[in-house]
Structure formats: C-alpha cells, structure tokens
Amino acid sequence: MKLLKLTGFIFFLFFLTESLTLPTQPRDVENFNSTQKFIEDNIEYITIIAFAQYVQEATFEEMEKLVKDMVEYKDRCMADKTLPECSKLPNNVLQEKICAMEGLPQKHNFSHCCSKVDAQRRHCFFYNKKSDVGFLPPFPTLDPEEKCQAYESNRESLLNHFLYEVARRNPFVFAPTLLTVAAHFEEVAKSCCEEQNKVDCFQTRAIPVTQYLKAFSSYQKHVCGALLKFGTKVVHFIYIVILSQKFPKIEFKELISLVEDVSSNYDGCCEGDVVQCIRDTSKVMNHICSKQDSISSKIKECCEKKIPERGQCIINSNKDDRPKDLSLREGKFTDSENVCQERDADPDTFFAKFTFEYSRRHPDLSIPELLRIVQIYKDLLRNCCNTENPPGCYRYAEDKFNETTEKSLKMVQQECKHFQNLGKDGLKYHYLIRLTKIAPQLSTEELVSLGEKMVTAFTTCCTLSEEFACVDNLADLVFGELCGVNENRTINPAVDHCCKTNFAFRRPCFESLKADKTYVPPPFSQDLFTFHADMCQSQNEELQRKTDRFLVNLVKLKHELTDEELQSLFTNFANVVDKCCKAESPEVCFNEESPKIGN
C-alpha cells in the first residue's frame, strides 16, 4: 500500500457536498482529478475504514478479504470503465461485497440489512453502528520496541492494524479524520523509532494525535446527531454561525452559497460513505480557496499550499479581522418599522441574515449561545407581530439577548469556580455522580467517558480569556455525545426530552435535570465492594479508571442516596484502598475492610 499522501487532508470542520455531475471549470477539474487520484491510491485504507465502521465485530482477517476484493474491483474498473459494475456508487459496491461475503452477515447479525437495497440498506448499515464499544476487546498495545520492530519489518501491516482498530472503535468519525490520524501515527512511529528513549517519545507525541481524534469525534457526532434528530435546517444555522464568526467580511450571498455546500447532503459523511465524504470535503475546501479574496484575508498562504497541507492550514488559521466599517450592532432587526413584513416575506432568509449579522459581530459568543439568541428572536417576533404595536414590542430585543447571554455567562463562571474549588479529580467525581443520576441507563464505560470529557472542557477553558465560548462549546459537545447520533436512541423520558426538544437549549435543559425517577437499580451485589491486592499493582491511569468505574456503579446501585452520602461512601472506598495498599498483606486487609465500604 502506498504511503498516505494526505497528512492533514482537508480536515476543516465544514464538510459537504459533491454532486454526481462531473466538474467543467478548469480549477474544479484539477481539484476533482487530484481527489480522485487520492481515492484510487488509498483504496485499501478507505476500505478498511468503511468495513471496520460498518461491521465492528469483524476480524482483521475478514477485513483483509474485503480489501483484496475491492482492490481487484478498482483494477478492473481502471482497466475498463465501461463495465456495468463500474457505474455503481462506490458505497453501494462496498456494501454489496460485504453482504456477499460467505456467512459474514449471519455471523455478525446484519443479514437484515443485506435484504434491503440502496438508501434503505445504507440507513440500515448506519443504524447498525454501535457507539458504545464495550463489546470489543481492549485496544491492543505493543511496547515501543515491539512497535518499532513491527514498523520496520512490515509498516503496511502495522498501519492497517492500527487503522482497523481505531475505525471500529470510532464508527461515526469521518474518513478524512481517520486518514489523518493514521498519517500522524506513522509520523510518530517513524520519528520515535529513531530515538533512544522510545517510551517517552511515544507517550509525548501520541497525546496530540489522541486529542485530535477525540475532538473531531465529538464534533462530528454532535453535528450528525443534530442532522438526524432536527434535520438539515439546524445544521444550516450551525454553519451560518461558524462561518460568520470565522469569516466576518464575507458577503451574505457568498456565505449562503458556502453554507449550502457544507450542509446540504450532509448524509454522506454522517452515514459513513467514505468516498463521497472525501470528495465532498475536498469540494468545500476548493470553494473556500477559489473565493478567498471575498471570504478571508487569513487563508492566502494556506490556499497556495498543495492539497495535503491546505486543509489543516485553513482550520488552524485565526478568525478573520472584523471589518472596520462593521457597526457594533445591526439596528434593522430591532429598529425598523417593517421587521414583521420582512420576516413574513421570506422567513428562512430573514432569520439567516439575522444570524449572520449577529454572529459576525459577536466572535466572543459560543455557537450554542448564538443559536439560543436566534431562537429567542424567533419567539419574540412570533409574539410581537401579533400585537397592536409590533415595533414597540421588538424594540427591546437586545435586552432579551443580553439577558440570556448574562445567564449563560454566570453559569459558566460558576462552573469554573466549582473547578477551582474542587480541583480536577473532585470535579470529575461531581460530574460522574451527576451524569449517572440523570442517565443511569447508560453503560459504565460511557458514563466514565462523558465525565472525563466534561472535566476536559473545564481544564481546557477555565483559564482562557475566551472562557465562556470555550466552555459552552465543549460542554455542548458532551451533551451531544450523551444524546447520541441515532435519532431512535432512547435513555429515559427526561433525558430524551432534552435531547429532542430544542437543539439550542439542550444544555440549559440538562442543567435543570434531577435524578431519574423511572430508574430501577440492579439487585445489591457484594461483588461491587469486594477488592483484591491487584488494585495496588494498577498503574496510575488504570487505577483511576477502576476508581471511576466503581463510583459510577456505586451511584447506579444506590441511586436514591444524596450526593453527600455517595461522596462519603466513595471516600470510604478511597481510604480502604490507601490503607490496604500500605498494609503488609494487602489481600488480607481487603478481605477485612471491603465489606465495610457499603455499610
């Protein structure tokens, strides 16, 4: 397999779309050809991602068979494009070949998808994906020396295994992101295998790669969840906010053209159509660079780079400078006598213009906060336009906007103060208790992961100047992950209400939730309070995971206890672990002390 040619291939947060019509403009043809060549050169990696995400339980050997079949298919079509099979959409070909693998659909329980065709089959494969990957074995790890030996002896096999394991554990992450992660992994391996201290090198250089994957995973699941639960219009407004903040000098007409490219046909990336996703991502980047003079002054150097570097350069570029002639506020939405008439003439365009004008004037606000303001403005006009004096009613809209922003700001300030008082571990235990109480139906691993991500939001943001937007954006992603991508996901009535009622106000909705009253705890088991000497042999990270899992399972078991009572039991547990690990005979100590924890 050829070396990945896309270290950073177009990883902007703005993804779609690509029509099936072939391009005709010279620049578009050049972009299409380079993208097509990348796809052809990396068909093996692309097949690994698609198969591992669609059939997460499949073995590496089963995946290898499909890769071989897809490479042969590609070779046939490159030799003779007139063959009937070559006119099919790549994702349909892939799914047909998966279904044709002898015994595989029955073995891994997706034969019901294979009985469907086209869009129904695509949706079936999508809904078959599992975000909770607790059913998979632990991620296989090699020590650095073994990793370097494997890389030097057969880099192709090592990279294939890595991509397979990462893709099956991240079934909703877009293909371009996974390809970049694989390219970064190879960079780390290549560099660290030349170092004397390989252990420190791998540990240090792997951190940003892992963070990159986690960040994009959260964001992509969040937006795909919005698409599936609320429809294209919500995604449309999300990107009006994002693009208006990043490119404040862009003209409204150009913005809408770009937003439509981004948000329409978002299905490809979200459903896991890897080929279409790569094409669509490339098309959006080409759109941005072809109009850079009217979009942003910050991306000129980025757009001069070749496709491999162009994407990451743009995503890392700063927000463009605010136009000097841009007033601090846009009065036409609150001062005009004709607001109601303009709204009624074309509501979608009217509110899109409002979102654009307000967002580009407020780069300090978070995406969800700006969406809340849009919703407040919609609700206000719905009321005001039915009164005898609409202008006298909506004249005070700015006060309403400031009111909700002040409320959200105070919430973030309180949370950051909470973080400063409790510290990182204390805040994590607070959120593990809180999240488990409101959504005890989730698996232990999923709750631990959500707690960690919530704490990451505060440790990342609470010392920054843009504290408010940072915390609100990241916390919103955590709640998006809790709600999940699948529109049919149900947890409990209260959580489902927050997930499905209003996208902009999900976080305030979750903040108001109490412990789930519909939950029936599992029968008491002394096993939860039984510990052994192996606790003392656990490395710091492993011990922390065991501790977090214990706390979540404790809350699930004793759901009726107050936070203070649960914290007291948890403190008993921590004291027992500390005491017994210092004892002459830890096992004897645990046998004596463990039963006392739950009392």
Side-chain angles (χ1 to χ4, degrees), residues 14 239-252 254-255 258 292-299 317-327 353 355-364:
F14 316 144
Y239 278 99
I240 292 176
V241 171
I242 291 172
L243 292 167
S244 300
Q245 285 190 316
K246 192 169 182 70
F247 305 133
K249 78 171 188 178
I250 193 172
E251 294 292 332
F252 178 71
E254 184 60 52
L255 170 81
L258 183 55
Q292 57 181 294
D293 290 340
S294 61
I295 291 178
S296 173
S297 62
K298 302 281 187 180
I299 58 174
S317 67
N318 294 324
K319 290 177 180 176
D320 206 356
D321 300 324
R322 177 186 172 127
K324 291 180 181 178
D325 60 348
L326 188 65
S327 60
K353 282 183 178 177
T355 308
F356 162 65
E357 296 291 359
Y358 203 90
S359 299
R360 69 189 188 129
R361 285 172 169 79
H362 293 87
D364 54 316

Side-chain angles (χ1 to χ4, degrees), residues 426-441:
L427 188 70
K428 179 168 67 172
Y429 300 145
H430 165 78
Y431 272 104
L432 287 177
I433 290 173
R434 170 151 179 70
L435 289 167
T436 306
K437 280 201 162 190
I438 65 173
Q441 295 83 0

Side-chain angles (χ1 to χ4, degrees), residues 166-351:
V166 172
R168 70 201 292 233
R169 287 169 174 79
N170 294 275
F172 297 106
V173 174
F174 297 172
T177 303
L178 292 173
L179 291 170
T180 276
V181 168
H184 286 330
F185 169 74
E186 179 167 22
E187 287 176 2
V188 171
K190 198 172 184 179
S191 174
C192 290
C193 288
E194 295 174 356
E195 295 287 330
Q196 191 169 357
N197 191 339
K198 295 178 176 60
V199 174
D200 285 351
C201 182
F202 271 105
Q203 287 178 344
T204 302
R205 294 201 56 189
I207 290 172
V209 180
T210 303
Q211 290 174 336
Y212 174 91
L213 175 61
K214 287 181 177 179
F216 273 77
S217 173
S218 291
Y219 178 80
Q220 289 162 1
K221 285 191 282 188
H222 184 68
V223 179
C224 288
L227 172 67
L228 291 166
K229 289 182 174 69
F230 298 96
T232 305
K233 189 172 285 189
V234 165
V235 176
H236 195 81
F237 274 90
I238 289 172
Y239 278 99
I240 292 176
V241 171
I242 291 172
L243 292 167
S244 300
Q245 285 190 316
K246 192 169 182 70
F247 305 133
K249 78 171 188 178
I250 193 172
E251 294 292 332
F252 178 71
K253 185 177 179 182
E254 184 60 52
L255 170 81
I256 294 303
S257 173
L258 183 55
V259 166
E260 286 173 353
D261 248 11
V262 171
S263 60
S264 65
N265 297 328
Y266 210 95
D267 300 356
C269 283
C270 289
E271 286 184 11
D273 186 338
V274 293
V275 171
Q276 195 64 33
C277 188
I278 291 168
R279 285 177 177 161
D280 293 339
T281 305
S282 180
K283 184 182 179 186
V284 170
M285 295 307 303
N286 191 53
H287 184 154
I288 291 170
C289 287
S290 67
K291 302 286 183 68
Q292 57 181 294
D293 290 340
S294 61
I295 291 178
S296 173
S297 62
K298 302 281 187 180
I299 58 174
K300 186 174 186 298
E301 290 185 6
C302 295
C303 291
E304 289 173 353
K305 295 179 182 291
K306 295 180 181 179
I307 286 180
E309 296 86 25
R310 186 174 59 169
Q312 277 199 330
C313 181
I314 291 179
I315 194 172
N316 291 326
S317 67
N318 294 324
K319 290 177 180 176
D320 206 356
D321 300 324
R322 177 186 172 127
K324 291 180 181 178
D325 60 348
L326 188 65
S327 60
L328 292 176
R329 62 183 293 269
E330 177 51 84
K332 69 181 180 182
F333 295 102
T334 54
D335 302 341
S336 169
E337 298 286 321
N338 303 316
V339 167
C340 294
Q341 292 90 323
E342 290 178 30
R343 180 205 65 169
D344 293 342
D346 187 349
D348 288 346
T349 300
F350 177 82
F351 287 115

Side-chain angles (χ1 to χ4, degrees), residues 46-107:
I46 290 168
T47 302
I48 289 171
I49 291 171
F51 186 51
Q53 289 187 324
Y54 281 140
V55 192
Q56 294 159 270
E57 303 89 342
T59 65
F60 185 78
E61 291 70 28
E62 289 167 336
M63 182 272 299
E64 284 185 309
K65 292 178 183 176
L66 182 68
V67 168
K68 182 174 179 291
D69 202 4
M70 285 299 291
V71 170
E72 290 173 354
Y73 164 78
K74 180 206 75 170
D75 291 341
R76 286 196 304 274
C77 289
M78 288 188 72
D80 184 1
K81 293 180 181 178
T82 64
L83 292 172
E85 62 179 334
C86 302
S87 63
K88 296 179 180 179
L89 291 172
N91 200 47
N92 287 350
V93 173
L94 184 88
Q95 290 183 351
E96 284 175 9
K97 291 187 178 298
I98 291 174
C99 288
M101 293 178 73
E102 188 175 355
L104 195 77
Q106 294 76 23
K107 178 182 177 183

Side-chain angles (χ1 to χ4, degrees), residues 560-578:
E560 77 287 352
L561 297 186
T562 64
D563 291 3
E564 292 74 20
E565 289 170 326
L566 287 165
Q567 190 66 51
S568 176
L569 285 176
F570 183 65
T571 301
N572 291 346
F573 159 75
N575 291 338
V576 166
V577 172
D578 184 59

